[in-house]
Structure formats: C-alpha cells, structure tokens
Amino acid sequence: MEYEIVIGLEVHTELATQSKIFCGCTTKFGGEPNTHTCEGCAGMPGTLPVLNKKVVEFAIRAGLATNCDITRDNRFDRKNYFYPDLPNAYQVTQFYHPVCKNGWVELKNKKVRIHQIHMEEDAGKLIHDPYDDVTLVDCNRGSMALLEIVSEPDMRSADEAVEYLENLRAILQYTGVSDCKMQEGSLRADINLSVRPMGQEKLGVRTEMKNMNSFKAIVRAIEYESRRHIEVIESGGGLVQETRRWDDNKGKSFAMRNKENAQDYRYFPDPNLPPVHISDEDIERVRAALPELPGAKKARYISEYGLPEYDTEIITRSISLTHLFEDANAVCNAPKDVANWIMTELLRLMSDSGTLPEDLAFDFASLGKVIALVNSGKINRGTGKKVFAQVFSENVDPEAYVRENNLALVTDTAAIRAELEAVVAANEKSVTEYKGGKEQAFQYLIGQGMRALRGKAPANVVTELLHEIIGA
Ligand SMILES: [Zn+2]
C-alpha cells in the first residue's frame, strides 16, 4: 500500500532582543553559569515581571512577514509544571490568546499555513555531570524571549519540511527577529508526524520529536519515524500517540512519555502581567519598517540583475549572502559574475572551513574588487581565486595584496616587447628553425618569453608580439 507522510512543525526561535522578556538581564549566548541572571529570572519570591516591549514588536514583525492576523488584546498565561530548570515552577506563555494567527509561508509548490505564533519565555539548562554523578542548573537561558511558530500539518516530505524551515529562517533573519543560529539553539523544531494510506482523509496517529537543532538530523528523523510508522501499521500493530526522543548518533527514536500520563498544565492568566493592547498604529508602524523580504528580493534579483532563478534561490536563502552579493556588485557591477563566485568559490571555501553565512568575517566589497581585477585583465582567474582565498581567511585588501605580492599581469605592451626582443636575440637558432618550418621552435620561444615575463603577460599578447618581432 502507498502511504502519505503528514508533517507539522513547531519552531522555537530565540529573539534577538538585548535583554530577556521580563527582566533586564543580557541575552548574550554562553557566559559562566548563572551570571546572566537576577532575582526575577531566577524565580525568587517577591519579584515582579516587566514585559520587554521589543518582544511584542518582534512578534508583530514575524507575524506580518508570515501573513498572519495580529491579535489586538494579548494576555500572558502560566503553564504550570515542575522542572529543575524552571525555578518558578511555571512558564509564562500565551495559551488562550496567541499574538499571531492564520498566516502562511510560501514554498516553491505550496503554501504551508501557520496556525499561530505566540510569545513565551525559555527555560534554563540542566548540565549532567557523569563524573560526579550530579546534575547542575544554569539559568542563563531562563526567561529569554521566544516565539513559538506552529504550522498546520501541511508538509508531506522531509524535503518540504526543510524548505519550510529554510524559508522561515530567512524571514526571521531578514526581519532581524532572530539570528536563527541552530548550533546555539536559537532555532529549534519539534516534528509532529503521522502517516496515512494515500487518499485517506483521516489523519493517522501522531508522534512528536522535540528540540531538533540541525537540518540533517531533521531529515534523518523524519525518514526514520515515517518508516517506523508504516512498519507498525503493516505488521498490524497499533501506534501510540507519544513524545519520542531522537538519538542522532544511533539514528533512532525512542519513546519518552505517552498520552496516558500527559501533564495537565493548569493554564491560567498570569496575574502579575497586565494585558497588552496592540493598536492599528502599532501594526502600521511595524509594517512600514519591514525590510524587503526573501520572496520580493528574489523577484527583484531576477528582474533587476537578470539572474537565473536558481542563483537567486541560493543567494536569498541567507541575509548575509544577499549583503555580500549587493556589496560586491556595487564595486564591480557584474551581477552574474558575483553570483558565480558566490556559488563556486565562496561556497567551497565555506564548506572546507565549516563557516556559516552569518559568520562570514571579511569586507564584502573585497569580492567585488577581486572580480574587477580579473574582469579588467589585471590578474588572471587562477590568481583571482588565490587572492579571494586570502580575502576569505585573512580579510586582506585585494588590490594591496596583488601589489605587494607582485601578482598583476604586465599590460604595458612596450615592456613586454622589450623582454621578447631580448629573448629573440638570445635564441637565434630557434628563430631560424621556425622560419625553416619547425613549429615547435615557436612554442619554445613562447615558453622562453613567458619565463622572462614570469607568467604575468597575457598569452595572446605574447604570441602576437613574437610574430611581429620575428616578422613571420
Ligand atoms: Zn534576570
């Protein structure tokens, strides 16, 4: 029988605010454990939360950029549960009135609907120390601002899930809502997955895998879990609605807890936080300040620069690459060349060194300078690649680097002619042989000429001038 995989994603993204959601503590990644904390985010009795206005603005930005309706009267609710990394024993979230509803994200062949986006606080972190057999608590991450973005179950394959996540990440980065660094946990996804016989309307039993933080792991987890569902169905067994843990090293998922002992979180409105009203003016102000979004940028790159769609897809996937493209093109005014250098040389250097687009640290105009040097014939392409590798790793200035290392092609025809005349004078025998019909002798003279010029003259110019000097 043929089966259809049905996937919905819950994405948690840590906001790029300077301070946490209800106190003034820094949101910087890392730091000594429990140094980015205060009485408030450490859950001490007697403290009161004060909402960070920026969080609401970021939520509106994310909502508008994903075509959502914005809720005017917002409240915060308490989700009660005990866990050692949550000193209050409740998480402040939005259960009854999420800030954004009913949006969508555009993929190549479909729209993935957004069910809702809500604001909430993050929990701290538990650090298990197997050596001393203890578990320690670090509250640095506690009470950082999060948006949870919940999609409808509209995806049908691992590829679609990845495309949705890539597009959503681009939107969040473009709008400055989050840096979306998956390796630092600022973008994590829970996968809700079920399978059903092709053509059946009713959804199958759903399992959930939490806190996935790499695209590779997400693809493997979806492939494994959908296969497991199909095997259980085919063998006549029953699937259980449950949360499962994905172990990327073992390449398997394991049952964590099932619905029977699912917690009752006893949600209720947080009495310490007043309602937040979002006015039409607030929304229009945020809308007016929205930057060009990935879809619009892609369309503009095609119409304004004549780039192929394929190139624009690769470049607009990351805000950093669009900055690189635009800064470099402003210098050399050769859009297709810039796209080519990004897709070949840059991506190769990035993959060799494990560098992410957001971590590119060189002056973006330098790529334009390298391309201008190659296109104007000042250096050849091979030299250009070497210079760009130096730009990439050392942030050298291409023009200074070419000058200091004497890499420029000799373009002064008189200087080239002088060198070649000396070569001809020193190799009378070869000249005579060539005039007598021996073609190889001419190749020898070219070799001698290039050697005298240390390979830095254009080959066609050398050939042409040699013919002139010999007179044959
Ligand atoms: Zn704090």
Side-chain angles (χ1 to χ4, degrees), residues 318-339:
S318 146
I319 185 89
S320 296
L321 294 186
T322 67
H323 289 154
L324 172 58
F325 172 79
E326 288 175 24
D327 291 358
N329 189 54
V331 173
C332 65
N333 192 24
K336 181 58 185 150
D337 289 334
V338 177

Side-chain angles (χ1 to χ4, degrees), residues 20-26 36-43 139-140 142-143:
K20 294 184 176 181
I21 185 167
F22 300 124
C23 65
C25 289
T26 178
H36 300 172
T37 51
C38 65
E39 293 83 350
C41 58
C139 286
N140 283 357
S143 225

